[in-house]
Amino acid sequence: MTHLSPRIIFLMSLSPLLWASNAVLGRMSVGIVSPMTLNLFRWIFAALVLLPLGWRILKKQSPLWKHKTRFFLLGLFAVGGYNTLQYLSLQTSTPINVTLIAASMPIWMLLIGAVFYDVRPEWRQLVGAFISILGVMVVLSRGEISALLNIHLVVGDLFILFGTIIWGFYSWMLTKPGSSNERQWHWAEFLLAQVIFGLISSIAFSGVEAMTGTFHFQFNAWVLALLIYIAIGPSIIAFRCWGLGVQEAGPAVASFFSNLTPVFAAVMSAVLLGEMPQLFHALAFCLILLGILVSSKIKLR
């Protein structure tokens, strides 16, 4: 039985809030910074912030190098993979498509656990997944479910679908360290190790933009502020909170909290457009919370 303490609720809610702001800002940066380059500079800035705190993990005798394959995969999935695919999806897809597809996270998380980690989902988790996704549909359709019938898939939808799947693998890997003693490391060392390896794939992806002529970067004060924010908030703080929450609550439970991301994104978009939150926003939050509570016999304490 998972005990849902106020600490876990805070950790698992703050990450979606920060990631929602990242999605909104990513949409706003379309045409200003190309997606793969935006992701690259985001993590370069994050590495610079983490370096004074976690530089010891990069020393030659560090245990990191014994598990470089694991950290290459963690970095590829989270730093280089998911975030690049999210920014790419926002180039061609609509916010409702991207967030709705990402809302399938609980299903993928349960499927990955069953197939690759021999963790069989319980009926409560399946019911919780349905309730939680229903809540996301309510807020994305603004209380009019019939609006979902007008969705048309584009290439960006495929990007975020693939990104959602690899994020599921990343979250499960966090709970299965194997012979790695990473849980004894300082949090900044653990995150820096992922970022450094993730930069390998991020640099490669940005190089593809340069070779294909799709690179563009309009540097100004707004872009600088954007990079600083997404490097600290949606990157360092959100990843730290997510890692702690996954370790304490498990990836299946965490996946239900990830459904708060499109809800927060919808509210932020509404505020930016000058529209006040409506009753259906409250209904969506209640449904998502209910899905979380039902998912794994979760018990509040």
Side-chain angles (χ1 to χ4, degrees):
M1 181 178 293
T2 301
H3 295 281
L4 199 60
S5 67
R7 180 173 183 271
I8 293 178
I9 294 175
F10 174 76
L11 292 173
M12 293 277 85
S13 299
L14 181 59
S15 294
L17 176 63
L18 293 171
W19 285 328
S21 68
N22 179 56
V24 173
L25 291 172
R27 183 67 176 176
M28 294 172 64
S29 70
V30 173
I32 301 175
V33 183
S34 50
M36 296 182 184
T37 299
L38 175 62
N39 189 62
L40 173 61
F41 277 96
R42 167 189 179 179
W43 292 107
I44 288 177
F45 275 50
L48 292 176
V49 174
L50 289 168
L51 197 58
L53 300 173
W55 62 271
R56 292 177 180 81
I57 203 63
L58 302 179
K59 296 172 67 174
K60 186 176 181 179
Q61 64 272 28
S62 166
L64 166 65
W65 308 114
K66 298 179 181 178
H67 306 283
K68 54 183 178 294
T69 300
R70 168 177 169 77
F71 278 89
F72 174 79
L73 290 176
L74 287 173
L76 174 63
F77 290 163
V79 175
Y82 177 80
N83 289 281
T84 294
L85 289 166
Q86 183 188 52
Y87 290 140
L88 276 173
S89 69
L90 291 168
Q91 302 293 305
T92 56
S93 186
T94 63
I96 189 171
N97 281 33
V98 170
T99 50
L100 183 57
I101 293 171
S104 65
M105 174 67 74
I107 301 299
W108 294 112
M109 209 70 106
L110 295 175
L111 182 61
I112 291 170
V115 175
F116 294 94
Y117 294 95
D118 197 30
V119 178
R120 305 300 176 186
E122 300 179 1
W123 69 269
R124 289 175 176 270
Q125 293 176 313
L126 297 175
V127 173
F130 174 79
I131 295 174
S132 187
I133 291 177
L134 180 60
V136 175
M137 288 182 176
V138 168
V139 73
L140 293 178
S141 64
R142 302 182 63 81
E144 299 178 5
I145 301 299
S146 60
L148 299 176
L149 299 177
N150 298 321
I151 291 177
H152 301 286
L153 296 178
V154 296
V155 66
D157 301 327
L158 300 179
F159 285 143
I160 194 61
L161 176 61
F162 183 50
T164 301
I165 294 172
I166 66 173
W167 183 263
F169 278 104
Y170 168 76
S171 295
W172 272 105
M173 286 183 67
L174 290 179
T175 67
K176 307 292 182 180
S179 60
S180 173
N181 66 342
E182 62 200 44
R183 292 184 178 178
Q184 301 175 19
W185 303 356
H186 187 274
W187 70 267
E189 295 177 345
F190 181 55
L191 185 52
L192 179 61
Q194 298 178 64
V195 172
I196 292 298
F197 278 95
L199 283 174
I200 298 174
S201 55
S202 297
I203 292 172
F205 294 152
S206 185
V208 171
E209 278 187 338
M211 290 187 294
T212 56
T214 57
F215 167 85
H216 57 273
F217 188 95
Q218 301 177 21
F219 184 77
N220 52 45
W222 184 86
V223 171
L224 179 60
L226 166 68
L227 291 173
I228 293 174
Y229 172 76
I230 63 176
I232 296 176
S235 302
I236 296 176
I237 297 177
F239 270 66
R240 170 60 173 163
C241 291
W242 183 261
L244 286 173
V246 168
Q247 289 177 6
E248 294 187 28
V253 173
S255 69
F256 289 89
F257 278 92
S258 71
N259 271 353
L260 290 173
T261 301
V263 178
F264 287 141
V267 173
M268 289 180 186
S269 297
V271 171
L272 290 175
L273 292 174
E275 301 174 358
M276 296 301 294
Q278 304 296 320
L279 181 60
F280 64 83
H281 288 126
L283 173 60
F285 273 105
C286 291
L287 286 171
I288 291 174
L289 177 60
L290 179 60
I292 294 171
L293 295 174
V294 169
S295 62
S296 296
K297 300 180 181 179
I298 297 175
K299 181 179 179 181
L300 291 171
R301 69 177 182 185

